[in-house]
Amino acid sequence: MHGWIGRILRIDLGTGKVSTEALKPELARDYIGARGLGTKYMYDEVDPMVDPLSPANKLIFASGPMTGTFAPSAGRYDVVTKGPLTGTIAASNSGGAWGPELKYAGYDMLILEGRAEKPVYLWIQDEKVEIRDAAHLWGKDVPETTEALNAETAADAKIACIGPAGENLSFIAAIMNDMQRAAGRTGVGAVMGSKNLKAVVVRGTGAVTVADKDAFLAAVAKASTMIKEHPVGGTGLRLYGTNVLVNILNSVGGLPTANFQDGHYPTADKVGGETLAANQLQRPKGCFSCIISCGRATKVTNPKYKGEGEGPEYETAWGFGPDCLIDDLDAVLKANYYCNEYGIDTISMGGTVACAMELFHRGVITLEDTEGLELDFGNAEAMVEAVRLTGLGQGFGRKLALGSYRLASLYGHPELSMTVKKQEMPAYDPRAVQGIGLNYATNNRGGCHVRGYSISPEVLGVPFKVDKDTIDGKAELVALFQNLTAALDSTGSCLFTTFGIGAPEFAELMTSLTGFAYTGESFVEAGERVWNLERLWNLKSGLTAADDTLPPRLLKEPIVTGASKGAVSRLPEMLPLYYGVRGWDADGVPTKEKLSALALA
Ligand code: SF4
């Protein structure tokens, strides 16, 4: 095979059995890799009703055919499992250099089964696979773990690991790789913790072969030029990172504020990408083979929040900033650093703190509940401390570690959790931008922006401009973006390459790389297949159309101030149209005809 290595590594952590197996070429062609292929294996091998934290759940690290090649921004992989936060199929995507290293070691995917009796880590060097004792690492944070493992394995080995949050089975725990990159969403870190697996260390000496080298080189050159010439992919993201969006979303009245009570924050600029670039930014940073470099290497010298690391992304700055009514960027960065060090998803952490602040503000929880923490809106010090306690599983942090839905439910107010399918929504207000609300509500892993980023046309005008306030055409738009993203995620390339290239360019890259003939249409159809398979899994796990919704606040309470004042989400009007576009019945179940057309029947 070309692009794919053609081999899967399977490890039963319960018995210690290590085996390899061939990847079936037709599965690779139809599900591509990473998110798609991982989901196919989950669907075929795991009961969707499985308890996510039981040994029967599997944890799949899956690269894509482009991962590790010199295609632009092709350093990504997915962690696929049943997510404990959402109960849905989860594919949590991460960059860095870990994914390429797995392929160089000779594997497209690593499938982990069972549960180790005691803490272990995996040391994979090409053919040599060891399950090693990790007792000395348990309790260590991500930097400590990474440094210790590089010292005892190889200095240039790539490491994916959990921090204390994953060990404590926090529902919002991430898996961190290359120290600062996160497979963050849906609580995949807790699944790793439940398997007593502290880390996967990889070192490979192999390579990825290409079907048609000249054609691939030409396709890479063309794609790279298109990205470099794009104002967002080529310039904007490198200069200001994703955090440039703070001011943009605020200007259109779509910056959720105070736990989504409003859509505008007067001092938002203080936590925006331009302010970061002028103060804490050390340099832009890129993942493997990235020509965009949206990553931010940052440093805080303010003694109160002193630290160094990477971030924040826009969603992180928003979550610890405007959503908590905080405009202290140093505090936001410190919270981000804690998340990276303890292994927590920043979006869910920010959303959970904001929810706790509203509970506190309304008097639902008191100082007694928070164990003395004045967790009210605007209290930056309390926000940072709440993140630290969550990471370590201490004090009120034990409850925050459950995520906002379970936290708010504990106190009788689930409606104050700004979640979809129990996962915290990111930084775009569905009342101000209609399509993103439909995307959140129908997303296969709950509140998520990156699997149907309609913000691109609705706010940024890329690749074309559509009216953010209308619901006309949004069902088609959202379904198309969801399908395209499912295909793109499955290649091992970064979503941000779409600020420059689209399905036709991906088809050229995939065809020349793998030797299978893809067109723009068949590429997007592969994404539609993945989307429908994820939907089937979720339906089998007990989710229904009733879960395709938004928090009541967004459907009933209008935005109070700013450019979108008075807006509410019109989801109930869009949802039936969306089901129709998808070829699903009125209950959101894919029809036989649709499944047959996608070879899923
Ligand atoms: S664009 Fe950003 S997230 Fe994507 S691969 Fe490059 S640095 Fe990583």
Side-chain angles (χ1 to χ4, degrees), residues 78 94 115-116 119 148 170 172 194 256 275 292 317 330 353 364 385 425 464 467 473 486 513 548 567:
D78 273 273
S94 184
R115 170 187 289 154
S170 164
I172 58 173
S194 77
T275 304
I292 299 170
D330 286 342
V353 175
V364 176
E385 179 63 0
M425 291 180 295
F464 44 80
D467 180 355
L513 172 64
D548 294 336

Side-chain angles (χ1 to χ4, degrees), residues 221-573:
K222 180 179 163 188
S224 301
T225 302
M226 290 171 77
I227 294 166
K228 281 181 190 157
E229 287 178 351
H230 194 281
V232 180
T235 316
L237 284 171
R238 183 179 178 81
L239 274 180
Y240 298 119
T242 56
N243 202 19
V244 71
L245 288 165
V246 165
N247 286 324
I248 296 172
L249 265 295
N250 202 36
S251 70
V252 300
L255 185 75
T257 300
N259 199 33
F260 284 77
Q261 293 185 78
D262 205 352
H264 180 259
Y265 186 49
T267 54
D269 180 52
K270 290 188 179 178
V271 297
E274 297 86 340
T275 304
L276 184 82
N279 298 289
Q280 298 89 346
L281 180 68
Q282 301 293 293
R283 64 183 190 286
K285 200 170 167 194
C287 303
F288 173 92
S289 86
C290 185
I291 57 172
I292 299 170
S293 297
C294 77
R296 308 284 89 183
T298 53
K299 187 175 180 177
V300 175
T301 51
N302 172 355
K304 203 156 135 195
Y305 300 120
K306 199 165 182 243
E308 205 166 338
E310 280 185 41
E313 298 283 351
Y314 161 57
E315 290 74 18
T316 309
W318 156 80
F320 296 129
D323 207 32
C324 292
L325 286 187
I326 288 168
D327 61 10
D328 183 336
L329 192 50
D330 286 342
V332 166
L333 263 68
K334 187 66 181 177
N336 193 159
Y337 298 157
Y338 276 145
C339 286
N340 290 351
E341 288 159 17
Y342 298 138
I344 313 173
D345 174 40
T346 58
I347 298 176
S348 280
M349 186 76 255
T352 302
V353 175
C355 174
M357 284 181 164
E358 185 166 357
L359 290 168
F360 190 92
H361 191 74
R362 290 177 185 273
V364 176
I365 59 174
T366 63
L367 283 174
E368 200 181 325
D369 297 299
T370 64
E371 301 186 26
L373 206 57
E374 284 270 1
L375 205 53
D376 205 345
F377 285 119
N379 189 338
E381 280 181 52
M383 178 275 289
V384 172
E385 179 63 0
V387 176
R388 191 184 72 83
L389 292 171
T390 304
L392 293 171
Q394 295 174 357
F396 187 59
R398 285 193 296 270
K399 288 186 177 143
L400 295 168
L402 298 169
S404 67
Y405 183 83
R406 291 169 176 86
L407 173 79
S409 299
L410 263 182
Y411 294 102
H413 287 275
E415 78 283 0
L416 296 183
S417 162
M418 296 299 116
T419 49
V420 174
K421 300 180 179 79
K422 302 188 179 71
Q423 175 161 264
E424 289 69 22
M425 291 180 295
Y428 311 86
D429 197 312
R431 295 167 294 192
V433 188
Q434 292 295 330
I436 202 69
L438 178 62
N439 173 57
Y440 286 166
T442 57
N443 215 289
N444 287 329
R445 67 170 186 180
C448 165
H449 61 303
V450 287
R451 294 174 150 208
Y453 194 62
S454 66
I455 294 300
S456 202
E458 292 187 288
V459 175
L460 305 176
V462 177
F464 44 80
K465 180 84 179 116
V466 300
D467 180 355
K468 71 178 184 58
D469 299 316
T470 186
I471 63 166
D472 295 343
K474 293 296 167 71
E476 292 84 353
L477 180 83
V478 166
L480 175 64
F481 271 60
Q482 290 175 338
N483 293 344
L484 176 63
T485 310
L488 192 157
D489 283 347
S490 302
T491 67
S493 185
C494 178
L495 174 65
F496 295 152
T497 55
T498 55
F499 291 115
I501 63 173
E505 289 75 30
F506 271 103
E508 284 172 12
L509 288 163
M510 284 290 294
T511 301
S512 53
L513 172 64
T514 67
F516 287 120
Y518 288 91
T519 62
E521 291 73 30
S522 72
F523 183 70
V524 175
E525 187 186 74
E528 186 179 10
R529 183 176 300 114
V530 172
W531 190 271
N532 277 271
L533 192 66
E534 291 171 340
R535 179 77 179 184
L536 291 179
W537 165 286
N538 285 347
L539 291 171
K540 285 187 178 182
S541 74
L543 272 74
T544 68
D547 295 295
D548 294 336
T549 192
L550 294 169
R553 166 169 290 164
L554 305 181
L555 304 172
K556 293 180 190 153
E557 296 175 22
I559 289 180
V560 184
T561 63
S564 295
K565 181 178 173 181
V568 293
S569 169
R570 293 171 64 191
L571 175 69
E573 295 167 75

